[in-house]
Amino acid sequence: MKKLSEVNTKKWRVFTRKCRKMDGDVKNYKDSVCDAIIEEYGGLRHGAKILACKLNLSYRSVERWFYKETAPKGDQLLDLMAENDEIASRILSLVEERKQKRQRENAVD
């Protein structure tokens, strides 16, 4: 019979592997969305304030997107996509890339 510490260690290794895999996807999402926001609003004077007013968010939340500290969450992302077509197309292209990646992974299996 295995010791409890051995079982927990194995579970922890599996969990950390899954988290590392997810981190790569999250960085891709965060970088892509933040880059799109910066391209659209970064050149404007007070771009973060303008976007915050349009989306009815705090200036600090939007400013974090500009510094790539965080990415928009669900409702914020939907509002952002409704506000700007370029950002919406970037998100949809990320979705298509993810679908193709999953299809390739499933084809290999």
Side-chain angles (χ1 to χ4, degrees), residues 14-57:
V14 171
F15 176 73
T16 53
R17 252 185 278 134
K18 287 181 181 178
C19 287
R20 278 191 225 121
K21 185 177 178 183
M22 288 188 313
D23 283 347
D25 294 340
V26 169
K27 289 178 185 175
N28 185 21
Y29 159 75
K30 184 174 79 170
D31 289 342
S32 297
V33 172
C34 291
D35 287 342
I37 292 169
I38 292 167
E39 285 176 17
E40 292 296 313
Y41 295 97
L44 299 175
R45 184 174 182 193
H46 307 294
K49 288 183 181 180
I50 293 168
L51 187 57
C53 288
K54 286 183 178 182
L55 300 178
N56 198 20
L57 295 171

Side-chain angles (χ1 to χ4, degrees), residues 10-97:
K10 183 177 179 183
K11 286 181 181 179
W12 179 253
R13 280 190 217 131
V14 171
F15 176 73
T16 53
R17 252 185 278 134
K18 287 181 181 178
C19 287
R20 278 191 225 121
K21 185 177 178 183
M22 288 188 313
D23 283 347
D25 294 340
V26 169
K27 289 178 185 175
N28 185 21
Y29 159 75
K30 184 174 79 170
D31 289 342
S32 297
V33 172
C34 291
D35 287 342
I37 292 169
I38 292 167
E39 285 176 17
E40 292 296 313
Y41 295 97
L44 299 175
R45 184 174 182 193
H46 307 294
K49 288 183 181 180
I50 293 168
L51 187 57
C53 288
K54 286 183 178 182
L55 300 178
N56 198 20
L57 295 171
S58 71
Y59 165 72
R60 183 65 183 130
S61 295
V62 176
E63 189 178 44
R64 286 186 183 113
W65 302 345
F66 278 77
Y67 291 121
K68 295 184 181 182
E69 293 173 8
T70 61
K73 294 181 176 58
D75 288 342
Q76 298 168 346
L77 183 62
L78 292 176
D79 291 340
L80 186 61
M81 290 173 70
E83 179 64 36
N84 191 303
D85 291 334
E86 178 62 33
I87 293 172
S89 67
R90 177 83 62 106
I91 298 300
L92 294 175
S93 69
L94 283 174
V95 170
E96 287 301 318
E97 288 175 16

